[in-house]
Amino acid sequence: MLLPEGGTSDQVAFQDVYGSCWIGRKECLRPSQGRQIGLHSPYWRTTGFPCCAPSRRLPERRQELGKLAPPVTFAQSLAIILKILSMIYKMVQNNTYATKRDIYYSDTLLFGNQSVVDSIVNDISCMLKIPRRSLHILSTTKGCIAGNLSYTEEDGTKVNCTCSATAVTVPSNVQGIKNVITNAKFILIVEKDATFQRLLDDDFCNKLSPCIMITGKGVPDLNTRLLVRKLWDTFHIPIFTLMDADPHGIEIMSIYKYGSVSMSFEAHHLTVPAIRWLGLLPSDIERLNIRKDALIPLTKQDQNKLASMQKRLYVACQPMWKKEMAIMATSKMKAEIQALTSLSSDYLSRVYLPNKLQFGGWI
């Protein structure tokens, strides 16, 4: 968008397609003649109002999102936002759904990059102060669930995880499921798919007591987090996490329990503060006398991440978390859940988890 020297504009527009998502009247602050004004331009002053959570206007987010795609003009940015809003309107009117990937492929030349679509969808959700699913935009599911659980999907499909010998994919429209039934005594969130499959092979869901197992296969997707929250709201049974004893595992557990920065504006729909850390605890490494050759030294990046996490406010409110993280920082060693196989091949399902659950070995 080209503006002459001293020109003004009273267009209603969105500022910063990648970030703060302000909306309101814009006033140009005397840009130089013929200068191209984009959404990130410092010459724009907003007299409107912010619609996002403060965390979405952090400098770190701007730096991160600034790398997602080449700079675009104001007109291009507005065209992208209006295109997505138009698609949302049609889906709501017709009661249909689409994934962010579907939206991107509807006009790849306009969007240019999947990350642009992802960011704008989040910003629209934040701006309108409604969950993304209310925009009829669904996330692609990667999480799996198994154990004592049955439910009916929105289209009438009945799913019975109890009778299935394999894991069931987390539904893409979690809010649409109904008739949710379980006799489970607890829910176990497993960080890694490999560990999840091993517990499934050992029939862990039925051996100790009826339970539900869920894995997000690493960092959980939106649907997996929604399902965990829905199960908590419905049944209020204990929820435990089984993570690697490393900074990355603690980070993933924190996402389930406290949320993530990128989705902070929707945290009250996605988090379960009652989640407990069952294992693998750094203190378990010494207590179980796990062999040194089964441990992995913390990298410099691990140490920096751990030090950063120790400064977080929610960690300050968790003295047991602080103690475990201090043990890791002092030992400068980390351990994957698979390190328990150094004790015996089925130690995790036969000894470790039953003892932890029976004697309250969680924090």
Side-chain angles (χ1 to χ4, degrees):
M1 181 176 180
L2 298 178
L3 294 175
E5 176 73 16
T8 61
S9 171
D10 61 352
Q11 296 180 5
V12 174
F14 294 87
Q15 181 191 28
D16 195 351
V17 67
Y18 305 120
S20 58
C21 196
W22 291 64
I23 180 172
R25 301 177 71 86
K26 311 297 178 181
E27 181 177 347
C28 182
L29 300 184
R30 301 183 60 83
S32 59
Q33 177 67 34
R35 180 158 185 166
Q36 192 171 25
I37 303 299
L39 295 187
H40 295 82
S41 172
Y43 296 109
W44 287 103
R45 180 171 67 218
T46 303
T47 56
F49 49 88
C51 307
C52 293
S55 61
R56 292 187 52 80
R57 298 193 298 273
L58 291 173
E60 292 84 353
R61 173 166 167 75
R62 290 179 175 273
Q63 294 171 5
E64 172 190 352
L65 294 171
K67 302 174 184 177
L68 296 180
V72 293
T73 65
F74 172 80
Q76 288 173 322
S77 302
L78 186 58
I80 292 172
I81 294 172
L82 293 178
K83 170 70 173 179
I84 294 179
L85 285 172
S86 173
M87 295 182 69
I88 291 171
Y89 176 77
K90 290 178 181 178
M91 288 189 293
V92 172
Q93 288 291 96
N94 299 325
N95 195 29
T96 57
Y97 293 84
T99 64
K100 291 185 292 184
R101 199 68 176 161
D102 295 331
I103 293 176
Y104 169 68
Y105 277 113
S106 69
D107 197 334
T108 56
L109 292 179
L110 174 63
F111 299 129
N113 191 306
Q114 176 68 59
S115 301
V116 173
V117 174
D118 296 346
S119 181
I120 292 178
V121 167
N122 285 344
D123 285 339
I124 291 174
S125 176
C126 176
M127 177 186 69
L128 298 179
K129 299 181 180 179
I130 59 176
R132 186 194 304 168
R133 56 197 171 276
S134 297
L135 302 176
H136 284 228
I137 298 176
L138 304 176
S139 297
T140 302
T141 296
K142 67 171 182 172
C144 291
I145 186 169
N148 193 289
L149 179 70
S150 63
Y151 57 87
T152 304
E153 293 189 347
E154 189 177 31
D155 61 1
T157 302
K158 295 183 178 180
V159 179
N160 192 340
C161 303
T162 308
C163 299
S164 178
T166 58
V168 175
T169 303
V170 171
S172 58
N173 187 4
V174 174
Q175 294 303 110
I177 67 175
K178 53 188 177 181
N179 301 326
V180 184
I181 301 172
T182 185
N183 293 316
K185 303 302 181 184
F186 64 90
I187 298 170
L188 181 65
I189 300 173
V190 183
E191 176 188 352
K192 292 181 175 178
D193 184 47
T195 305
F196 178 86
Q197 295 296 335
R198 178 57 190 267
L199 291 173
L200 201 59
D201 292 341
D202 291 344
D203 197 25
F204 176 77
C205 293
N206 299 312
K207 277 186 177 179
L208 183 62
S209 61
C211 72
I212 299 170
M213 286 201 311
I214 299 175
T215 181
K217 299 181 180 180
V219 178
D221 58 87
L222 183 64
N223 291 323
T224 303
R225 294 172 62 188
L226 281 170
L227 181 60
V228 171
R229 177 58 190 252
K230 186 177 183 71
L231 292 175
W232 165 252
D233 287 338
T234 305
F235 301 109
H236 287 282
I237 56 178
I239 303 179
F240 303 107
T241 59
L242 180 62
M243 307 283 160
D244 287 339
D246 64 10
H248 187 66
I250 299 174
E251 182 73 82
I252 291 174
M253 176 177 57
S254 299
I255 291 175
Y256 284 107
K257 188 176 177 73
Y258 296 112
S260 60
V261 172
S262 63
M263 297 295 291
S264 60
F265 61 94
E266 205 176 336
H268 55 290
H269 294 298
L270 300 172
T271 59
V272 182
I275 284 176
R276 295 292 177 259
W277 187 3
L278 184 66
L280 182 65
L281 302 179
S283 59
D284 289 338
I285 297 174
E286 183 176 355
R287 181 177 64 83
L288 298 175
N289 198 25
I290 297 176
R291 296 201 317 258
K292 297 293 184 181
D293 59 0
L295 306 180
I296 305 170
L298 289 176
T299 65
K300 186 64 176 177
Q301 183 179 5
D302 288 333
Q303 294 179 42
N304 291 339
K305 185 174 185 63
L306 182 60
S308 174
M309 293 176 67
Q310 288 176 303
K311 298 176 183 177
R312 295 180 184 177
L313 293 178
Y314 59 76
V315 173
C317 300
Q318 295 279 355
M320 296 305 295
W321 278 36
K322 290 175 63 177
K323 180 180 177 181
E324 294 294 334
M325 294 168 77
I327 292 173
M328 186 186 301
T330 302
S331 67
K332 295 185 179 180
M333 301 295 286
K334 59 183 178 180
E336 298 181 341
I337 300 170
Q338 287 78 2
L340 294 175
T341 59
S342 65
L343 302 174
S344 70
S345 59
D346 61 347
Y347 190 85
L348 176 63
S349 60
R350 182 177 58 86
V351 180
Y352 184 78
L353 290 177
N355 286 344
K356 281 268 188 171
L357 292 165
Q358 182 177 353
F359 300 109
W362 58 80
I363 60 175

